[in-house]
Amino acid sequence: MSAITVIILVLYFVIDTFWVQKRQWLAECTPIYIQYFVKFFIIGVTVLVVAVPEGLPLAVTISLAYSVKKMMKDNNLVRHLDACETMGNATAICSDKTGTLTMNRMTVVQAYINEKHYKKVPEPEAIPPNILSYLVTGISVNCAYTSKILPPEKEGGLPRHVGNKTECALLGFLLDLKRDYQDVRNEIPEESLYKVYTFNSVRKSMSTVLKNSDGSYRIFSKGASEIILKKCFKILSANGEAKVFRPRDRDDIIKTVIEPMASEGLRTICLAFRDFPAGEPEPDWDNENDIVTGLTCIAVVGIEDPVRPEVPDAIKKCQKAGITVRMVTGDNINTARAIASKCGILHPGEDFLCIEGKDFNRRIRNEKGEIEQERIDKIWPKLRVLARSSPTDKHTLVKGIIDSTVSDQRQVVAVTGDGTNDGPALKKADVGFAMGIAGTDVAKEASDIILTDDNFTSIVKAVMWGRNVYDSISKFLQFQLTVNVVAVIVAFTGACITQDSPLKAVQMLWVNLIMDTLASLALATEPPTESLLLRKPYGRNKPLISRTMMKNILGHAFYQLVVVFTLLFAGEKFFDIDSGRNAPLHAPPSEHYTIVFNTFVLMQLFNEINARKIHGERNVFEGIFNNIIFCTIVLGTFVVQIIIVQFGGKPFSCSELSIEQWLWSVFLGMGTLLWGQLISTIPTSRLKFLKEAGHGTQKEEIPEEELAEDVEEIDHAERELRRGQILWFRGLNRIQTQMDVVNAFQSGSSIQGALRRQPSIASQHHDVTNISTPTHVVFSSSTASTTVGYSSGECIS
């Protein structure tokens, strides 16, 4: 448009001057002709400046940056800027239970001790002394010594739980039994513990070995009730004696104790012990499976973690917004189902699926044990609760939902996680939420947003802000494109017909400032409202410009063009002033063109209020005073416009206007608000010719090479696994090199010869058996040295 404008102006001038008027090119007239050509060039550049919506990247950045700053107040610490917009399109949320949906303040509320099911914590007198002794010692030493209960910060407040919340619940249970765990810990300090099998998400248990003064050993174990009970061969009876515990007895306890507890939403933990007599040979402590078996059950306790009071309402909002919430937890399936029902994830009479991780894995794998996408596609649409799941199950589920092609739109998945093992799932998800309080550094590093309060309601706030970002950019686009269409057509048509742009270069730059920088600030800082959660997600390929927006853009552009062209070609008669058309080169600013400029700017100003609504709403003033920035910019622009028109003079090509002319300009500007009401009356469905614009890139439009690269990048978990294997081989390779060097020194042969005999790393990747095997390898944390022992007796540290 810019180039065509310049070419037409130059050709018109040349043909009119040298062809029609048959003038000669005189040397003394050259500077005047050059001034004309420079003027045409400036008009062309002006059209270009107005036509290019350079404010769009600014609007996107301002909207995202503003949202990120405000989200911090809503307990969302955004690590990746684009994640906040992606969250607005989320269709699925896979949430943890503990701490996110629940309060993570656990207390023991039921217990099965000495063959009795207590519905509330029993009195210590009701428990036989020897069982009480096992309970006190077992819980005190078999909980991390970092877990403790501190006095409340304020008088009358609740005691503070420090460390693992489940362990704090067990320690609180001892305090309820009027026993102090600290006395036991003082008697048996952490350094004196013989062996500790720490808790992990696979075996779901923790065990601690104590060495007694007579040389015997006692192991205390705690963990998921059904897993520990399977390893119990005895149980402490009502009189405190150990009696045989058969599979039939175990099934009875599961049916009469564990399932009722779980159905009330309680997490069930089994406590057990085992003695190793002094006379027997010392067991192989490295073989945990042989050690933690043949246990004697002490008690089963039910731990309550109440649902956060605000969560059911937040989940209802998510469901209204078209987002499916799924619970992925390590808890018992009955507990998970009870909590999911309390939260509102499960509704009676709905067709949903609640399965355990073991069952999930069995259903999604073929005979060879490989995961098949078709099998996942049969499960995930109805899946609402995945219980007893491992972090790998969470990653598999997230990957399966993202890669699925069952639904029309590609699913956008948000995931919450707090553990180190949740890293791959958080990385794989479109938006990963890490817990700010309970989360590990690895989880936070892998996430996009950190929930500083570990609360599910903060995720709903993130959805609102994400949708608000999308809407803010659409609002700005609607406003910007209306101005663009009008300004370009006016500049182009006016230049071609009148040999001069009705809007001068400096005026165009002021218009550009209004519609780019200031408009992006005003429209990109709109606060979100609850109404954003009443519609379904847009989807990844939804066009930025909807048909309603296209109707608004074309409708308002039509009104503004009619007003501008009427003023341009008939304004001088209406206002009874001199015409500004066909003015000589250095003529003073005319009232005529000043009215055109003033009316044009005021129409943009009132149209900015129209642009606040993009879904055809009638009340464009709703919530306008909630956005102070918007009000400030609109009023500020109006004041500056008055100053430019009244005092701008020659630099702004403006002439002073009378009160009457100002009132007409304001009246025509306000006409856009009334015209907007008329446009919103016309149903979009009737306007079949309107098209959407601004589609996302479709898959078929992406070159195959890029798709191939994408496939390579997809599986973070596999990549981590591969990297882990390479590091492992490299470590073993270094160990073997060191062994060969030691052997070379001992035998007196050359070191070079020892190194030459080393197989390459590449060959080790294919043949692991090439590596000499040390008798034991211990890779510990940075607090201890890494020691490797060898069969020949050397030790390298």
Side-chain angles (χ1 to χ4, degrees):
M1 285 297 268
S2 176
I4 292 168
T5 306
V6 174
I7 291 165
I8 288 174
L9 285 170
V10 170
L11 286 175
Y12 191 101
F13 175 76
V14 169
I15 291 167
D16 183 56
T17 308
F18 303 114
W19 185 271
V20 178
Q21 298 179 25
K22 295 195 167 37
R23 291 185 183 177
Q24 298 297 314
W25 183 297
L26 302 171
E28 56 268 25
C29 293
T30 301
I32 295 166
Y33 296 149
I34 288 171
Q35 280 182 29
Y36 269 108
F37 291 141
V38 168
K39 177 185 164 187
F40 299 152
F41 179 73
I42 288 171
I43 291 170
V45 171
T46 308
V47 171
L48 183 68
V49 168
V50 174
V52 176
E54 73 273 18
L56 184 57
L58 180 67
V60 173
T61 310
I62 286 175
S63 188
L64 286 170
Y66 176 78
S67 299
V68 164
K69 188 167 178 288
K70 291 288 184 182
M71 282 169 80
M72 190 64 216
K73 291 180 182 172
D74 287 335
N75 303 306
N76 284 283
L77 173 60
V78 180
R79 295 183 66 249
H80 299 134
L81 207 59
D82 58 343
C84 104
E85 194 257 337
T86 309
M87 196 56 213
N89 277 326
T91 55
I93 298 173
C94 296
S95 173
D96 281 348
K97 177 182 78 70
T98 308
T100 312
L101 300 174
T102 59
M103 292 173 77
N104 203 13
R105 185 173 181 86
M106 302 198 182
T107 44
V108 173
V109 291
Q110 292 187 28
Y112 178 79
I113 309 173
N114 55 303
E115 298 188 301
K116 278 187 194 165
H117 184 180
Y118 296 93
K119 291 285 187 178
K120 56 183 184 182
V121 176
E123 292 297 320
E125 297 77 33
I127 303 171
N130 66 325
I131 296 183
L132 196 56
S133 167
Y134 285 132
L135 263 179
V136 174
T137 310
I139 291 173
S140 301
V141 300
N142 195 32
C143 286
Y145 277 46
T146 50
S147 297
K148 43 184 173 264
I149 295 176
L150 301 178
E153 284 179 337
K154 291 177 186 170
E155 204 174 324
L158 293 167
R160 284 178 293 148
H161 287 189
V162 177
N164 183 288
K165 304 298 179 187
T166 307
E167 292 183 340
C168 286
L170 294 171
L171 296 173
F173 177 50
L174 292 187
L175 297 177
D176 291 343
L177 291 172
K178 300 178 178 58
R179 297 292 181 274
D180 189 2
Y181 64 89
Q182 199 56 52
D183 293 344
V184 179
R185 288 183 173 182
N186 293 339
E187 198 180 310
I188 308 170
E190 192 172 5
E191 306 79 57
S192 68
L193 301 179
Y194 189 75
K195 176 90 178 164
V196 177
Y197 301 101
T198 53
F199 180 87
N200 79 21
S201 55
V202 177
R203 59 171 187 265
K204 299 198 185 298
S205 67
M206 172 184 176
S207 304
T208 302
V209 182
L210 300 178
K211 186 171 183 179
N212 300 322
S213 51
D214 62 354
S216 64
Y217 299 94
R218 175 170 287 166
I219 180 169
F220 286 102
S221 235
K222 74 167 191 291
S225 52
E226 57 269 48
I227 291 171
I228 295 290
L229 280 177
K230 279 179 186 170
K231 297 177 179 180
C232 289
F233 293 176
K234 290 181 181 177
I235 188 167
L236 294 177
S237 62
N239 58 6
E241 298 297 319
K243 68 170 195 178
V244 178
F245 187 57
R246 298 183 186 84
R248 188 175 68 246
D249 302 329
R250 184 177 69 236
D251 294 342
D252 283 347
I253 285 184
I254 287 172
K255 274 185 188 157
T256 59
V257 178
I258 292 171
E259 285 183 3
M261 280 185 183
S263 64
E264 291 175 40
L266 305 185
R267 172 181 285 185
T268 54
I269 302 286
C270 181
L271 305 165
F273 76 98
R274 179 186 176 184
D275 285 326
F276 294 90
E280 293 180 4
E282 190 172 337
D284 177 9
W285 297 113
D286 292 332
N287 190 345
E288 188 184 343
N289 288 337
D290 286 354
I291 302 296
V292 186
T293 189
L295 302 172
T296 302
C297 175
I298 305 169
V300 174
V301 294
I303 298 175
E304 183 183 46
D305 185 9
V307 172
R308 287 179 184 267
E310 64 274 23
V311 162
D313 191 39
I315 287 177
K316 197 182 287 179
K317 284 179 185 172
C318 281
Q319 289 163 346
K320 274 187 187 169
I323 303 167
T324 306
V325 182
R326 293 179 175 85
M327 183 200 285
V328 183
T329 178
D331 266 357
N332 174 306
I333 190 160
N334 294 321
T335 307
R337 191 186 277 121
I339 296 288
S341 299
K342 285 179 186 175
C343 291
I345 292 172
L346 303 180
H347 297 287
E350 263 190 10
D351 184 16
F352 55 76
L353 206 56
C354 297
I355 54 174
E356 290 189 335
K358 203 187 296 178
D359 190 21
F360 174 70
N361 273 296
R362 185 178 52 75
R363 290 196 193 189
I364 63 170
R365 295 176 191 274
N366 60 18
E367 299 73 32
K368 296 176 185 172
E370 296 164 344
I371 295 168
E372 286 185 355
Q373 184 61 44
E374 297 77 36
R375 289 171 180 251
I376 296 178
D377 288 344
K378 288 176 186 172
I379 293 173
W380 75 258
K382 289 184 181 179
L383 183 67
R384 293 293 175 273
V385 175
L386 184 58
R388 283 279 178 253
S389 65
S390 65
T392 315
D393 296 337
K394 188 189 272 189
H395 177 266
T396 306
L397 175 64
V398 172
K399 186 177 184 299
I401 296 175
I402 289 174
D403 294 347
S404 174
T405 52
V406 173
S407 50
D408 300 337
Q409 293 280 0
R410 196 280 243 176
Q411 294 283 304
V412 179
V413 184
V415 167
T416 68
D418 53 9
T420 301
N421 297 338
D422 288 328
L426 289 168
K427 206 84 174 149
K428 178 70 192 165
D430 294 291
V431 183
F433 285 90
M435 300 301 147
I437 301 166
T440 60
D441 287 348
V442 174
K444 289 174 186 173
E445 199 60 40
S447 69
D448 300 297
I449 298 175
I450 296 170
L451 298 178
T452 54
D453 63 346
D454 291 12
N455 195 335
F456 186 84
T457 49
S458 302
I459 299 176
V460 181
K461 296 270 175 61
V463 173
M464 276 172 64
W465 277 107
R467 292 186 175 191
N468 193 55
V469 167
Y470 188 98
D471 279 9
S472 295
I473 293 162
S474 296
K475 287 169 189 175
F476 174 73
L477 260 179
Q478 179 173 295
F479 174 71
Q480 169 105 52
L481 293 179
T482 308
V483 188
N484 270 15
V485 169
V486 177
V488 171
I489 292 175
V490 166
F492 176 73
T493 314
C496 293
I497 295 172
T498 66
Q499 288 300 288
D500 190 8
S501 174
L503 301 172
K504 303 296 183 280
V506 179
Q507 294 174 352
M508 279 288 207
L509 291 175
W510 167 235
V511 168
N512 202 49
L513 185 68
I514 296 170
M515 73 184 201
D516 274 354
T517 316
L518 298 177
S520 60
L521 253 176
L523 292 168
T525 52
E526 286 274 324
T529 59
E530 291 282 334
S531 60
L532 289 166
L533 296 174
L534 299 176
R535 60 171 171 79
K536 300 283 180 275
Y538 279 138
R540 293 178 77 88
N541 299 321
K542 164 87 170 58
L544 265 173
I545 302 166
S546 65
R547 292 179 69 211
T548 306
M549 285 169 64
M550 191 64 86
K551 176 183 78 174
N552 292 340
I553 291 165
L554 296 178
H556 284 294
F558 174 75
Y559 171 82
Q560 291 182 20
L561 285 170
V562 167
V563 170
V564 169
F565 282 132
T566 305
L567 288 175
L568 185 60
F569 296 111
E572 72 277 17
K573 293 172 189 163
F574 183 79
F575 289 106
D576 194 21
I577 50 176
D578 294 333
S579 172
R581 295 192 303 280
N582 304 319
L585 191 61
H586 296 296
S590 67
E591 275 183 279
H592 181 199
Y593 272 21
T594 305
I595 291 171
V596 173
F597 163 62
N598 197 31
T599 307
F600 178 74
V601 169
L602 291 176
M603 283 195 296
Q604 306 320 319
L605 217 51
F606 286 106
N607 192 37
E608 201 164 339
I609 298 171
N610 274 328
R612 292 182 65 248
K613 303 295 175 188
I614 54 171
H615 300 297
E617 300 96 326
R618 283 192 173 279
N619 186 1
V620 291
F621 292 99
E622 187 189 354
I624 194 167
F625 295 114
N626 295 339
N627 188 357
I628 302 301
I629 297 174
F630 182 89
C631 298
T632 309
I633 284 172
V634 170
L635 287 173
T637 308
F638 187 62
V639 170
V640 174
Q641 179 65 16
I642 293 171
I643 294 166
I644 286 173
V645 170
Q646 296 303 105
F647 309 106
K650 198 161 173 55
F652 281 92
S653 304
C654 286
S655 171
E656 280 186 54
L657 298 182
S658 66
I659 294 288
E660 187 190 349
Q661 290 165 343
W662 263 104
L663 289 173
W664 273 109
S665 297
V666 171
F667 171 71
L668 291 169
M670 286 182 73
T672 57
L673 295 173
L674 300 170
W675 185 255
Q677 295 300 309
L678 190 65
I679 291 171
S680 58
T681 310
I682 305 165
T684 310
S685 53
R686 292 280 178 88
L687 306 173
K688 302 288 184 193
F689 62 90
L690 289 178
K691 293 281 183 285
E692 297 168 324
H695 283 275
T697 313
Q698 303 294 322
K699 196 171 181 181
E700 50 269 20
E701 294 168 28
I702 303 170
E704 280 182 26
E705 306 83 64
E706 282 185 36
L707 278 173
E709 282 173 29
D710 241 23
V711 172
E712 275 301 305
E713 285 176 20
I714 270 175
D715 205 331
H716 296 281
E718 279 180 24
R719 203 189 311 156
E720 292 297 326
L721 195 64
R722 225 174 288 148
R723 198 186 309 168
Q725 287 171 339
I726 291 168
L727 287 171
W728 172 248
F729 287 132
R730 211 173 276 166
L732 287 176
N733 185 42
R734 196 169 292 159
I735 291 165
Q736 188 174 338
T737 308
Q738 290 168 338
M739 283 175 67
D740 281 347
V741 170
V742 171
N743 290 334
F745 271 116
Q746 286 178 339
S747 61
S749 60
S750 72
I751 293 172
Q752 283 87 345
L755 293 173
R756 257 199 307 275
R757 287 195 299 276
Q758 270 299 304
S760 70
I761 286 181
S763 68
Q764 288 171 7
H765 275 240
H766 297 294
D767 186 9
V768 187
T769 53
N770 287 346
I771 301 168
S772 318
T773 329
T775 52
H776 65 277
V777 183
V778 183
F779 292 102
S780 70
S781 67
S782 56
T783 52
S785 62
T786 303
T787 311
V788 185
Y790 304 98
S791 39
S792 55
E794 309 93 7
C795 181
I796 300 169
S797 177

